[in-house]
Amino acid sequence: MSQDIVILAAGKGSRMKSAFSKVLHKVGGVAMVNRVLATASSITDAKLHLVVGHQGEQVEASCQAFATNIVWQNDPQGTGDALRRVAPFLQADGATLTLYGDVPLIRATTLKKMAKQSTSNTLVLLTISLDNPTGYGRIVRDEQNKVVAIVEQKDASESQLQINEVNTGILLAPNNHLQTWLADLTNNNAQGEYYLTDIIAMAARDGVEIVTVNPENEAEVAGVNDRVQLAALERELQSQQAIHLMQNGATLLDPSRIDVRGELITGQDVIIDVNCVFEGKVVLGNGVEIGPNCHLKDCVVGDNTIIKSNTLIDDSQVGDSCDLGPFARLRPGTQLANKAKIGNFVETKKARIGEGSKVNHLSYIGDTEMGANVNVGAGTITCNYDGVNKHLTQVADNVFIGSNTSLVAPIKVEEGATIAAGSTITKQVGEKQLAFARARQTNKDNWPRPVKK
């Protein structure tokens, strides 16, 4: 069956106490509504509809990567009202799946399980049994255990409040019936709203079969109303991701202290210490070791590389058997060949470092092409910026650069050259040449030191 998927994202979310729409708050580094849209997009040939209202321009801008029909609900009057706004855009045949922009951990496997139950005369409900069902609509069944209605908490009788099976709000309804049911909705209830759940009783009235499907766990259908619930879902997602990483061969020294805010792909025997953060897409090869407090974003790290504590890597490529940190920073455009070493308090940017080359201490290497087996002394910087433009520094193989050297770009240092410590190099250095550029030292006898007045 063809499928429409409606994501409800019009609510204000006042309990978040935020200047932003509730659905734009992030779980695992991704806005909640974007997570739902990504899951919905995995359903083959589904037509997506996004219902927006409060700060809808922000929500729409955030979701531009998805092929979504935007439907406005400026004066929300309940979930049934939201579906009514979408009704003119629904396909004549097929079924409509209703999701929520603040229920970010719903799984595609669950949605596909619902789709398998869907027919032109079947309504599929996603329900779950809770020890404490307070706040949820209760699933009412008849003597034959068939679903006949959903009663909201505020409208439930004392006996109905004892029911543990609750409505998650996620349902899949056949479009040939849904249009009629939406037209028949009324707001005769405690909230004065149009409840989408009222269509359950209509389905029972019309002889439509109502079947239920259960999610894998409660977190999958948990919604967010405040920042406490947001934090709880963040921890749940991180726990799920930690388990997945360990099942795929990674060792996490403390699974409760890792944050994956994107996609982390690990090889075999990867070791990750505590408080590491991964953003965007990060790929770690076999045998990679990462020390505590590291931050990796959109990077690839080769086999057997060691990343020591407090190292930052952003939009960079690191080869095999490299040694980084502690306190190193690789900025966008850095490429390290195999066995390169970037030591403590070294920063690189748009730099290609050759095989076996070492930048060990307190240096800045930017806009640089460096060959193999280069040794860069402590305190070396490439002066790549003239105040207007960036310029390239080229360092060939087997160059030795003494400590406290400034290489004023554009400049080229040829193979096997040596630069004396404390030099400011402004001209090309030839192959195997020694370059030194220091001011003449002057010593004065009996120099009186300044004294405190």
Side-chain angles (χ1 to χ4, degrees):
M1 290 178 77
S2 59
Q3 200 169 116
D4 290 280
I5 301 180
V6 179
I7 297 98
L8 306 186
K12 185 176 182 180
S14 57
R15 280 182 279 175
M16 297 295 290
K17 301 188 185 303
S18 174
F20 304 101
S21 169
K22 175 174 69 171
V23 298
L24 294 183
H25 286 264
K26 295 180 179 180
V27 174
V30 179
M32 291 191 287
V33 67
N34 290 61
R35 281 194 172 276
V36 179
L37 280 166
T39 301
S41 297
S42 68
I43 307 299
T44 306
D45 298 327
K47 182 180 179 182
L48 305 185
H49 309 271
L50 180 65
V51 180
V52 300
H54 177 68
Q55 296 180 330
E57 294 85 357
Q58 291 181 8
V59 178
E60 183 177 1
S62 172
C63 301
Q64 289 182 349
F66 300 94
T68 306
N69 173 38
I70 304 296
V71 180
W72 282 83
Q73 188 189 22
N74 286 319
D75 52 339
Q77 298 179 61
T79 52
D81 174 58
L83 263 290
R84 279 178 158 185
R85 310 288 181 104
V86 183
F89 305 101
L90 300 179
Q91 302 170 79
D93 59 349
T96 295
L97 174 67
T98 303
L99 302 176
Y100 299 84
D102 60 355
V103 182
L105 301 189
I106 186 67
R107 297 181 179 180
T109 52
T110 297
L111 303 184
K112 291 174 182 177
K113 188 163 56 173
M114 293 179 69
K116 287 181 180 179
Q117 300 289 331
S118 179
T119 72
S120 61
N121 202 48
T122 303
L123 188 150
V124 186
L125 279 179
L126 189 65
T127 70
I128 189 169
S129 294
L130 301 176
D131 293 335
N132 180 12
T134 302
Y136 289 87
R138 307 304 203 272
I139 303 297
V140 180
R141 296 177 180 267
D142 63 14
E143 295 80 1
Q144 286 75 43
N145 203 37
K146 293 182 178 179
V147 176
V148 293
I150 296 175
V151 180
E152 296 299 327
Q153 169 94 18
K154 294 182 179 180
D155 301 308
S157 66
E158 285 300 320
S159 61
Q160 290 169 337
L161 289 174
Q162 304 308 309
I163 298 172
N164 283 8
E165 185 183 14
V166 300
N167 173 40
T168 67
I170 296 172
L171 58 83
L172 180 58
N175 288 349
N176 57 328
H177 291 288
L178 181 61
Q179 296 283 9
T180 301
W181 296 337
L182 291 175
D184 289 345
L185 287 177
T186 67
N187 61 349
N188 184 24
N189 52 62
Q191 291 291 89
E193 295 184 346
Y194 296 93
Y195 292 152
L196 181 61
T197 50
D198 286 349
I199 72 172
I200 307 305
M202 297 178 188
R205 174 199 68 194
D206 295 343
V208 173
E209 183 183 10
I210 302 171
V211 300
T212 57
V213 170
N214 304 126
E216 292 185 26
N217 55 54
E218 184 179 344
E220 193 178 346
V221 293
V224 171
N225 291 306
D226 56 35
R227 295 178 190 264
V228 175
Q229 292 174 333
L230 183 70
L233 282 193
E234 178 70 38
R235 282 300 94 211
E236 173 64 28
L237 176 64
Q238 295 304 334
S239 176
Q240 292 176 9
Q241 294 184 125
I243 291 171
H244 176 74
L245 290 169
M246 292 185 289
Q247 289 173 338
N248 283 327
T251 295
L252 307 183
L253 297 191
D254 186 345
S256 67
R257 289 191 283 171
I258 182 174
D259 280 274
V260 180
R261 302 170 187 169
E263 181 182 11
L264 175 57
I265 301 172
T266 59
Q268 290 184 330
D269 299 314
V270 169
I271 299 175
I272 301 174
D273 211 326
V274 300
N275 300 330
C276 290
V277 176
F278 302 89
E279 290 190 75
K281 184 175 182 179
V282 176
V283 180
L284 305 178
N286 298 326
V288 171
E289 296 184 19
I290 302 179
N293 309 313
C294 292
H295 186 175
L296 279 65
K297 178 180 179 182
D298 293 318
C299 59
V300 177
V301 179
D303 295 345
N304 302 310
T305 284
I306 296 175
I307 302 172
K308 296 170 184 171
S309 63
N310 300 286
T311 292
L312 282 66
I313 305 176
D314 183 2
D315 194 14
S316 300
Q317 294 187 339
V318 178
D320 297 342
S321 302
C322 291
D323 191 327
L324 311 181
F327 294 96
R329 183 185 182 193
L330 275 57
R331 289 170 57 194
T334 296
Q335 298 180 38
L336 304 185
N338 297 342
K339 299 180 181 179
K341 183 174 182 181
I342 302 295
N344 50 289
F345 303 103
V346 172
E347 178 180 349
T348 65
K349 190 273 297 181
K350 203 175 179 180
R352 293 166 55 186
I353 310 295
E355 184 170 352
S357 290
K358 300 177 182 179
V359 187
N360 279 324
H361 320 282
L362 302 160
S363 296
Y364 170 70
I365 306 298
D367 295 284
T368 298
E369 293 181 357
M370 183 180 296
N373 300 312
V374 174
N375 191 311
V376 178
T380 294
I381 64 170
T382 55
C383 307
N384 56 326
Y385 185 51
D386 63 8
V388 178
N389 301 303
K390 299 290 181 69
H391 299 282
L392 180 66
T393 296
Q394 295 175 284
V395 180
D397 297 344
N398 302 306
V399 168
F400 180 91
I401 300 175
S403 298
N404 198 31
T405 293
S406 298
L407 300 170
V408 182
I411 196 167
K412 185 175 183 179
V413 181
E414 296 186 358
E415 184 174 356
T418 300
I419 298 176
S423 295
T424 297
I425 303 299
T426 59
K427 298 178 182 178
Q428 179 171 331
V429 181
E431 185 175 340
K432 296 184 179 179
Q433 286 186 332
L434 168 65
F436 55 94
R438 303 168 179 161
R440 179 176 295 177
Q441 180 174 327
T442 300
N443 298 340
K444 293 186 177 183
D445 295 331
N446 302 314
W447 171 251
R449 288 184 179 179
V451 295
K452 189 171 184 180
K453 295 182 181 180

